[in-house]
Every structure is written in C-alpha cells, then in structure tokens.
Amino acid sequence: MKPIYLDYGATSPVRPEVMEILLPFFQTEYANAGSIHDFGQRSRDAIERARKQVADSLDASSPREIIFTGSGTEANNLAILGAARKHRNRGNHVITTSIEHPSILETCKQLEREGFEVTYLPVDPYGQISVDQVKEALTEQTILVSVMAANNEVGTLQPIQEIGRLLRHTPVLFHTDAVQFYGKIPFSVQELGVDLLSVSGHKIYGPKGIGALYIKKGIRIEPVLFGGGQERGLRPATQNTPGIIGLGAAAYLMSREVEQERQRLTRLRDLCLKRIQKEIGRVELNGHPSNRLPNNLNLSFHGVEGQAVLLELNRKQIYVSSGSACSAGKHAPSHVLMAMGKSEEQAYQSLRITFGRETTESDVHQLVDHLKEILEDLRTFLRNKP
C-alpha cells in the first residue's frame, strides 16, 4: 500500500512545475539581486516577476504592496509588531481572537509586555466570532484588529469581509492571517477590505522558508529586523531568490486552479465525513459544519485519544495530525478547542485530517476503512482494560 498523506494543513510538497522553475536560481542564476551587474539584475527581474505573480493572486493594486518574508510567522510578526509600534502615538489597544495561530498570540503577548492592551475575543462553539464583538471591543485607543481568515486546526472561517466593512471608515488597521485560507478559497484583498494580510509558500505547494505580507498602499508600519534596504527596508536581508521565485510560481498556478480545486476538495471532505459518521459513530465534527475550509476535517472520536488513532494510522502509512503542526511534540490540549468550550478530554480526542492536490477518492475510502478497524480495536481494548 502506498503512503497516504493527509496532513496538508501542516505543509504541502513542492509542485514539480515550481521545482523546475526555481532550481536554476540555486545553480546557475544564483547572483545576489542587490548587485548592479547584469548577473544580479537578472535575479532582481525574476524577483519582481514573482512579486507581481503574488500581487495578482491576491488582487492587490500594485506589486509594491507585497513584501517577501521568511515565513508566514514572520509576516504575522511584521504586521502586528510593525503596525502597533508605528501607530502607538494614536493609541495602544489591539483586538484579536482567542484561537489565533501562536505566531499571533505570542506576538500579542510581546505587545502586552511593551505596554499595549490586547483584547482576545472569545469564540462560539463553532470557533467563530461576530462582527458585533469587534464593534463592541473597539475603543478610541484601538489601532489594530487582527483576525485569522481560517483557523488552522478546525478550519472555521471568520467574517473577514464584514469586519473589513466595519473598519473601512475608521483609522483602525485590519490584519488577517490568511496562511490557511490562501489557495483554498478564491478571494480578493480589495473585497476583504484588509490593510495587511499574511501568506506562506509551503501551504500552496511552494518551498518552505518563504512568506509574504500584503501591505495596502498608504499603510505605514515599522520594520522588526534591521540591516539593509531590501524589501523597502521592511525585511532587510539578502533576498531568498529561489524561495521567492517558488512562491511566485506556486501563486500563479494556484490562482488558476483554486475554484476547481475548492470544489473537488469539498466533495472529498464531505464524502469522508459522511462515511465516518455513518459507519464509525460516536464522533463529533469540530468547527463550523459548512462555513469551513474545503480540505479540513477536525474530528473527536469519543472514548479514544486522537494521538492513539494517529499512531495507529501512522503504522499503516496514513499520515494525519492531532492538532497544529506548530504544537507538534507538545502533548497538551488544543487552545483552539478549549476556547470553543470543549473539555480537556474532548480536546485530547481530536484528530485533524487535511486533504490536498494529490488526495484521491480511493485515499478517502482507505482512510475510513482503516479508521473503522482502528476505532473498533481501541474502543474494545479500553472497554476490557482492567
């Protein structure tokens, strides 16, 4: 049996077409894009083509609105720290949610250490916030709102466009972590109404070690790294030319396939859930039942720890997750599920299955067939345990 990878929420393989495009920039077109000779200028031209590809995939008004970073985490740090510190003369209040990615939550904790006030909005049992919650949390001191577009663990989507409309005619900046959202659902930064938006290359079949931050024209933020003048001084370092080229190529390909792939992944997700609910039982879907990412299923199997199921699937070369990739190795209950009102026991019972470009209907059926066998064995063992 061939291995079945169902952890695309953690990372994705580099597409062959992307690898073919980026490889020369490791081997033959390796010049520093900051060099003024022709060799270096070829690298610079390639970077600017990639910048336009990313800008086009987001429907940004100009490639200059794209700043390349080392990761989605770095893009989040630059957005939160850079915006809050730049606009501290206007206020010291930031609004976010209780289920954000650690790269947002930990950055907000750093702001608190610097004297900022942070409001962490609670979520409903589906993992959603409402526009009214944001409206009620706003004060005269609010300078930034950061709400993730889609949750990395349970897949729930947030009302980003509605929040954007709420904040449109205010001086409050609006950031969204779109790392999981990007490449799964078509969107436009113009329609979302955001000022800042973070993406990552390795979630859309590009290379690891590259991300980008969209900064709407006219928005000013401070750098968090200091050195040269690369990326308009906001990300000083020798540019990662192969990574940038890879992100641009992946963005170009993704933007032409995203709607078709969204529909295909939704069908696979729904097929998987229907079989599991019908044939396994005592299972609960975590997150919103419909307003969720097309490739995400987060399930709690009653009476069995998710990590035990994961390890049994691993023995059969089926690879899933028991939570966020960023918390791998930390056997602790998910902060997302706990914020949604789940008990510690329910949180430990969770399993995340995320589908991708290479997932087939046969993979889904094999997963469910093995899950049935594993759950029956584990539940029987636990019932008979002295």
Side-chain angles (χ1 to χ4, degrees), residues 135-353:
K135 187 175 181 179
E136 291 169 6
L138 291 171
T139 74
E140 292 183 355
Q141 293 295 307
T142 306
I143 53 176
L144 175 67
V145 172
S146 180
V147 177
M148 69 193 329
N151 185 262
N152 53 304
E153 291 192 33
V154 300
T156 295
L157 307 181
Q158 300 293 354
I160 301 301
Q161 193 168 352
E162 292 83 351
I163 298 171
R165 280 198 292 265
L166 170 70
L167 300 175
R168 182 171 298 159
H169 301 298
T170 75
V172 178
L173 297 182
F174 184 26
H175 166 255
T176 189
D177 171 0
V179 167
Q180 291 287 338
F181 193 62
Y182 187 49
K184 310 300 188 304
I185 298 174
F187 70 88
S188 159
V189 290
Q190 315 288 342
E191 293 175 359
L192 291 182
V194 295
D195 300 300
L196 303 148
L197 181 143
S198 307
V199 299
S200 178
H202 73 106
K203 305 291 189 180
I204 62 164
Y205 308 93
K208 297 176 178 65
I210 187 68
L213 179 64
Y214 160 79
I215 307 175
K216 185 179 178 180
K217 184 179 179 181
I219 300 301
R220 297 288 178 263
I221 66 172
E222 289 187 359
V224 297
L225 299 174
F226 301 90
Q230 295 92 343
E231 298 301 306
R232 294 196 283 128
L234 290 173
R235 211 288 180 169
T238 299
Q239 287 151 308
N240 174 9
T241 305
I244 290 170
I245 303 310
L247 173 55
Y252 174 83
L253 293 168
M254 173 275 292
S255 62
R256 280 149 180 76
E257 304 168 352
V258 60
E259 176 55 27
Q260 181 180 351
E261 186 67 356
R262 181 192 70 80
Q263 295 178 25
R264 189 186 75 87
L265 291 173
T266 300
R267 287 194 295 270
L268 291 178
R269 180 199 70 191
D270 293 348
L271 169 65
C272 186
L273 179 61
K274 185 177 181 180
R275 277 202 64 192
I276 287 173
Q277 289 177 327
K278 181 179 179 181
E279 301 176 36
I280 295 179
R282 298 175 63 203
V283 60
E284 183 176 356
L285 175 67
N286 298 314
H288 198 281
S290 57
N291 193 28
R292 65 186 300 119
L293 289 172
N295 72 323
N296 177 293
L297 280 179
N298 189 297
L299 305 167
S300 288
F301 294 97
H302 297 177
V304 179
E305 279 203 10
Q307 196 163 94
V309 180
L310 180 153
L311 293 172
E312 289 302 311
L313 286 171
N314 180 71
R315 289 175 58 192
K316 299 177 185 297
Q317 293 187 292
I318 300 175
Y319 307 117
V320 298
S321 169
S322 59
S324 165
C326 294
S327 60
K330 298 179 182 178
H331 192 53
S334 159
H335 77 280
V336 174
L337 294 174
M338 297 293 285
M340 291 164 55
K342 306 291 184 183
S343 66
E344 276 199 25
E345 182 181 25
Q346 289 171 315
Y348 278 124
Q349 292 169 351
S350 69
L351 193 75
R352 185 184 71 170
I353 303 164

Side-chain angles (χ1 to χ4, degrees), residues 95-107:
I95 299 171
T96 189
T97 81
S98 57
I99 62 164
E100 296 294 310
H101 187 271
S103 62
I104 298 289
L105 295 177
E106 293 301 318
T107 304

